[in-house]
């Protein structure tokens, strides 16, 4: 399979397409932050899709792209994908069921929102036991559909956190997107947690019982 030093390929998808399966790539954004949702993306490309388009070189692990690169890639993914969807689990649900199960819940919701039935999932690391799926280590770096899903998830979540920056000013959510940066921790210490903080995460849990 493709090495981590190269761009993602359609090798996994093509092997499944040969079996007549409709395949979706799935990934998440926001497992680690102290605030905001965990967001999942699901993307389906047709069996005739080719990654020969120039824009496809920008589809890779979303963490390796700048914000503007991700936004441009997301536009093309939405244009050329056969189907795509995103879904989120908010901080209260993360606190209630844990980040792992919340991540799977967001993934299930994203897949359920696709406008075509999917028969197999390619997922970064995880699997969903109730849906035929394969968890691929570093999937967002080597599998094109997963990389596309990671970009949509990240762009969707970042847009939400920018909205939360307006709703809860002072935390600088638009800058750090809820991750535990020095600025975020400083503002958290001064202001206390907001309603979108994850009270089950350190250091938020010291502020209140949920």
């Amino acid at each position: 399979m493709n090495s981590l030093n190269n761009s993602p390929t359609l090798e996994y998808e093509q092997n499944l397409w040969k079996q007549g399966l409709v395949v979706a790539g799935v990934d998440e954004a926001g497992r680690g932050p102290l605030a905001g949702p965990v967001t999942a993306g699901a993307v389906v490309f047709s069996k005739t899709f080719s990654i020969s388009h120039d824009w496809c070189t920008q589809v890779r692990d979303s963490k390796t792209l700048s914000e503007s690169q991700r936004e441009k890639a997301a536009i093309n993914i939405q244009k050329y994908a056969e189907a795509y969807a995103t879904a989120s689990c908010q901080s209260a649900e993360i606190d209630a069921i844990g980040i792992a199960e919340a991540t799977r819940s967001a993934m299930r919701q994203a897949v359920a929102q696709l406008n075509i039935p999917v028969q197999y999932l390619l997922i970064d690391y995880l699997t969903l036991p109730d849906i035929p799926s394969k968890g691929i280590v570093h999937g967002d770096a080597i599998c094109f559909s997963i990389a596309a899903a990671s970009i949509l998830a990240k762009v969707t979540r970042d847009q939400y956190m920018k909205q939360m920056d307006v709703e809860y000013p002072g935390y600088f959510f638009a800058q750090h997107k809820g991750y535990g940066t020095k600025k975020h921790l400083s503002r958290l210490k001064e202001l206390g947690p907001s309603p979108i903080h994850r009270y089950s995460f350190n250091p938020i849990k010291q502020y209140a019982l949920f």
Side-chain angles (χ1 to χ4, degrees):
M1 290 294 177
N2 183 36
S3 74
L4 300 182
N5 295 322
N6 298 321
S7 298
T9 72
L10 290 170
E11 187 172 352
Y12 285 99
E13 293 90 337
Q14 288 167 343
N15 288 335
L16 293 164
W17 290 341
K18 291 175 183 177
Q19 302 174 43
L21 298 175
V22 178
V23 182
V26 181
D27 200 5
E28 55 74 29
R31 281 176 63 98
L34 305 178
V38 59
T39 301
V43 181
V44 178
F45 291 101
S46 72
K47 298 175 183 179
T48 60
F49 179 76
S50 169
I51 58 174
S52 60
H53 303 283
D54 289 342
W55 65 268
C56 291
T57 60
Q58 292 298 314
V59 177
R60 54 184 187 270
D61 178 1
S62 63
K63 296 184 292 295
T64 68
L65 301 172
S66 68
E67 185 170 2
S68 63
Q69 287 176 325
R70 286 192 297 267
E71 291 173 349
K72 291 176 182 177
I75 292 171
N76 283 308
I77 291 165
Q78 293 168 345
K79 179 179 179 180
Y80 288 95
E82 190 170 10
Y84 64 88
T86 60
S88 297
C89 278
Q90 299 297 329
S91 53
E93 188 170 0
I94 294 170
D95 289 337
I97 66 177
I99 187 60
E101 189 52 43
T103 299
R104 290 187 173 91
S105 177
M107 288 179 171
R108 290 188 187 97
Q109 292 177 55
V111 172
Q113 291 175 24
L114 293 169
N115 59 15
I116 58 176
V118 173
Q119 298 164 305
Y120 200 93
L121 306 178
L122 297 170
I123 310 176
D124 188 45
Y125 284 105
L126 300 176
T127 59
L128 295 179
D130 47 335
I131 305 174
S133 58
K134 179 179 180 63
I136 303 173
V137 177
H138 300 303
D140 52 2
I142 61 178
C143 175
F144 190 86
S145 294
I146 296 177
S150 79
I151 289 170
L152 292 192
K154 176 66 173 168
V155 169
T156 299
R157 187 182 185 280
D158 283 359
Q159 290 172 345
Y160 176 84
M161 293 306 292
K162 290 177 183 178
Q163 295 170 7
M164 292 301 98
D165 187 61
V166 176
E167 189 163 342
Y168 302 105
Y171 293 97
F172 299 100
F173 286 136
Q175 295 182 24
H176 53 68
K177 311 302 190 296
Y179 285 88
T181 65
K182 289 183 179 179
K183 178 177 284 188
H184 186 186
L185 294 175
S186 174
R187 301 307 293 164
L188 181 62
K189 184 176 181 180
E190 181 173 343
L191 300 174
S194 73
I196 67 166
H197 276 93
R198 301 175 182 179
Y199 284 83
S200 58
F201 279 39
N202 284 320
I204 314 299
K205 64 169 59 177
Q206 68 182 305
Y207 290 97
L209 296 175
F210 58 90

